[in-house]
Amino acid sequence: MIEVSTQSRIITTAVFIVYLLFLVGIGIYANRAMKASKEGFAVKFFAGNRDMGPIVVGLMMGATMCSAGTFVSGPGLGYKQGLIWVTVVLSSAFMNFYVLGTAGKKIGIMSRRIGAVSYTHLLRSRYNNNKFIGLVVPVLTIVFFSAYIVSQFIGGARLMEAMTGMSYFLSLFLFAVVVLIYTVFGGMKGVSLTIVLQGFLMTLSCFLLMGGVLGRINTEIGGLEAAFKMLAEVEPSIISPNTYSIPMTLSFFVMYGIVTVGWPHTVQGAITYKDTKSLHGAIISGIIVVAIWQGVMTMMGPFARILNPELAVADHATQYLSLTTLNPFFSGIIMAGAASAIQSTIAGMLIIVSSNIVKELYIEYINPKSNDKKQQKITVISTIILIAVIFLFSLNPPDFLQLLITFALGGLGATFYASMFFGLYWKRANEYGAIASLIGGFVYYFISSIVIKSLAFGMQPIVMSSLVSTILLVAVSLATPKTPKNVIQLWFGKVENKIY
């Protein structure tokens, strides 16, 4: 536990509680706004009426990337592994440009044309409404997202534990309850409203923490140059560019850049934007905020190593710096900002998971004639059960949270990247190729991550898994019958509903 005065913890905790209560209020307000909309429940809850502006979409996509991995475990890895982690993680700053710039407009047009509110619906439609694809995509999405949400719950609980002095169990419970309330009440509308507040707090937190840390380094050590010289003498590996091999370093750029179009939570932003102007604005706003969040927060790890080379838990780097460089009120804001990063990610992913459970599994396979009231009931029940299960899995956290985050993100990219990207732009891609790609990418990723790690060839498993997935999609598609003409006409025919 980080040693600070009781008074400081009380003030920090009070600021954070005010923030949590504000989130609950936003959820209630969003629920009323959602009820007033004339759209069906699925469009209101899962797609936010498709009227998100550039700032909201940019923040939403950025927040899905910048979560516990950025504000909690990212600094932890920076603390342990040094500046190389800061370098590789900044590749994620271009995610909005890659996803929205290469695929966003096509996804937006098609989601409106076919009435899609989920990633699964898009893939199922593109691949001839294949039943296997319609089943395996939501199942694998739920598996990987559940692992990712577990990592976020753990990060949130560790944050509250270190900064408030509460037990890990109580911190985890309170964190889960607040997220449940504003997600279930507000749906995607509630998530979008909270993201504006959370994005502001995340940005403010970065600048506050950076100012406090640089001030302390300047006062105690004599500036950054002196600090890094000292670090180079004591821990030269922290500033070495050779911590990772070149292939490993480049593989992070593949995972946080190229394959992000295969992440369901980033594609969701392309489903919700209002018009083309909003799309372009979201690209710019997303690049700016992600660069700030990732660049500043991951740098906190090496800074914490300079100021305290003996932290018991590396993932407490952010909390340590906040509590020892800022006054309690600002520490509360840092805590709210870090929690914002985590909660915004969890909420967005819960929306996607519940949309897969309700829209893609329940309606498609169990009760196709269900009405809005029934869909809403199933959504609430499934979300509560999901959070309860994730809560149980979060009770025994791993030492390095970023490892769990990396596994989940890599699995999503390896499994879905090829089928989504080639499905958008290659007419010859068919359902047989997509099935081979989904299964092959998932199996190879699982084996190279856990069973035979040498199959990753010294890189992140995402690289070889995505290559295998792509080769299977192309080869099997070319060797099997073409996609029916009605599907090609729907996806590649004349655009009748342009987005202006």
Side-chain angles (χ1 to χ4, degrees):
M1 188 68 67
I2 301 170
E3 295 296 330
V4 293
S5 68
T6 302
Q7 182 182 9
S8 294
R9 287 201 186 278
I10 291 174
I11 295 173
T12 298
T13 303
V15 173
F16 185 65
I17 288 175
V18 171
Y19 158 76
L20 293 180
L21 292 175
F22 201 76
L23 289 186
V24 173
I26 289 177
I28 294 172
Y29 168 79
N31 181 260
R32 293 178 179 176
M34 189 171 61
K35 288 180 178 179
S37 173
K38 295 180 180 179
E39 294 282 359
F41 171 76
V43 174
K44 290 189 295 185
F45 191 89
F46 300 125
N49 289 327
R50 307 188 200 275
D51 63 357
M52 305 299 182
I55 301 299
V56 174
V57 175
L59 289 173
M60 183 186 302
M61 292 187 63
T64 61
M65 171 66 75
C66 302
S67 52
T70 299
F71 281 75
V72 179
S73 59
L77 271 182
Y79 184 92
K80 286 288 186 181
Q81 299 181 357
L83 296 180
I84 188 65
W85 179 250
V86 181
T87 302
V88 299
V89 83
L90 274 173
S91 60
S92 63
F94 300 97
M95 179 195 70
N96 277 43
F97 175 79
Y98 186 72
V99 175
L100 294 178
T102 62
K105 189 169 184 178
K106 180 75 179 276
I107 291 172
I109 290 172
M110 292 310 305
S111 66
R112 286 160 172 80
R113 184 182 292 189
I114 65 177
V117 296
S118 72
Y119 189 95
T120 300
H121 193 166
L122 286 168
L123 282 181
R124 180 162 47 81
S125 170
R126 171 61 183 87
Y127 294 112
N128 197 28
N129 288 310
N130 182 277
K131 293 292 185 181
F132 181 82
I133 291 176
L135 182 62
V136 75
V137 170
V139 169
L140 291 179
T141 299
I142 292 169
V143 169
F144 283 118
F145 268 21
S146 295
Y148 196 99
I149 296 172
V150 165
S151 73
Q152 302 308 299
F153 270 43
I154 293 170
R158 280 180 174 168
L159 175 76
M160 293 180 66
E161 177 190 25
M163 298 192 74
T164 67
M166 292 188 295
S167 68
Y168 176 81
F169 177 85
L170 181 58
S171 300
L172 182 66
F173 179 78
L174 291 177
F175 203 85
V177 168
V178 172
V179 173
L180 175 65
I181 290 174
Y182 83 78
T183 304
V184 169
F185 267 89
M188 186 58 78
K189 189 71 174 179
V191 171
S192 68
L193 290 174
T194 56
I195 277 177
V196 175
L197 167 67
Q198 291 168 332
F200 170 76
L201 285 174
M202 289 161 69
T203 306
L204 177 62
S205 297
C206 287
F207 288 119
L208 284 174
L209 191 58
M210 181 172 62
V213 170
L214 292 179
R216 184 179 168 192
I217 288 176
N218 187 61
T219 301
E220 296 182 7
I221 303 176
L224 282 178
E225 183 177 356
F228 278 108
K229 282 183 178 179
M230 181 183 71
L231 190 61
E233 294 175 358
V234 180
E235 294 284 351
S237 62
I238 299 298
I239 63 171
S240 172
N242 300 317
T243 304
Y244 300 150
S245 66
I246 292 177
M248 176 62 78
T249 300
L250 293 176
S251 68
F252 279 107
F253 284 79
V254 172
M255 183 168 72
Y256 292 131
I258 294 175
V259 302
T260 52
V261 76
W263 294 353
H265 52 298
T266 57
V267 169
Q268 194 71 21
I271 293 176
T272 60
Y273 70 85
K274 183 178 181 179
D275 50 32
T276 303
K277 184 178 180 181
S278 297
L279 174 71
H280 295 161
I283 294 174
I284 297 172
S285 63
I287 290 174
I288 293 172
V289 295
V290 173
I292 292 173
W293 298 339
Q294 294 280 36
V296 172
M297 292 309 303
T298 52
M299 195 65 205
M300 292 301 107
F303 285 165
R305 188 66 173 262
I306 292 171
L307 295 172
N308 185 353
E310 297 181 356
L311 272 182
V313 180
D315 281 353
H316 285 171
T318 298
Q319 297 92 307
Y320 163 76
L321 292 175
S322 174
L323 291 169
T324 58
T325 62
L326 299 171
N327 67 48
F329 178 78
F330 287 143
S331 291
I333 293 179
I334 299 297
M335 185 178 178
S340 296
I342 299 167
Q343 290 169 328
S344 58
T345 299
I346 292 174
M349 288 189 170
L350 284 174
I351 293 292
I352 294 172
V353 171
S354 60
S355 72
N356 275 282
I357 293 173
V358 176
K359 187 75 175 171
E360 307 305 332
L361 295 177
Y362 177 76
I363 295 177
E364 284 295 319
Y365 295 95
I366 299 174
N367 188 4
K369 297 181 180 180
S370 62
N371 55 29
D372 280 0
K373 187 175 181 180
K374 186 69 173 179
Q375 292 175 27
Q376 184 173 7
K377 182 179 179 180
I378 297 298
T379 298
V380 172
I381 293 173
S382 62
T383 304
I384 292 173
I385 293 174
L386 178 66
I387 288 184
V389 171
I390 288 172
F391 175 85
L392 293 175
F393 276 105
S394 304
L395 291 176
N396 295 303
D399 291 334
F400 283 100
L401 195 58
Q402 187 65 37
L403 299 179
L404 183 58
I405 294 172
T406 300
F407 174 79
L409 291 179
L412 288 167
T415 305
F416 299 130
Y417 165 72
S419 56
M420 173 56 76
F421 186 77
F422 284 86
L424 290 172
Y425 297 109
W426 190 41
K427 294 180 181 180
R428 192 64 177 83
N430 63 20
E431 59 196 280
Y432 310 105
I435 291 172
S437 174
L438 291 169
I439 296 175
F442 172 76
V443 170
Y444 196 97
Y445 183 78
F446 182 82
I447 292 174
S448 59
S449 297
I450 299 175
V451 183
I452 310 175
K453 295 184 179 181
S454 60
L455 289 177
F457 295 96
M459 299 178 287
Q460 278 291 318
I462 182 66
V463 177
M464 292 305 301
S465 303
S466 298
L467 180 61
V468 168
S469 178
T470 300
I471 291 173
L472 285 172
L473 184 137
V474 173
V476 175
S477 292
L478 291 175
T480 52
K482 294 181 179 180
T483 299
K485 290 183 179 180
N486 64 308
V487 176
I488 297 300
Q489 179 61 35
L490 177 65
W491 276 78
F492 297 95
K494 183 178 179 182
V495 176
E496 299 175 356
N497 51 338
K498 294 182 180 180
I499 304 173
Y500 296 101

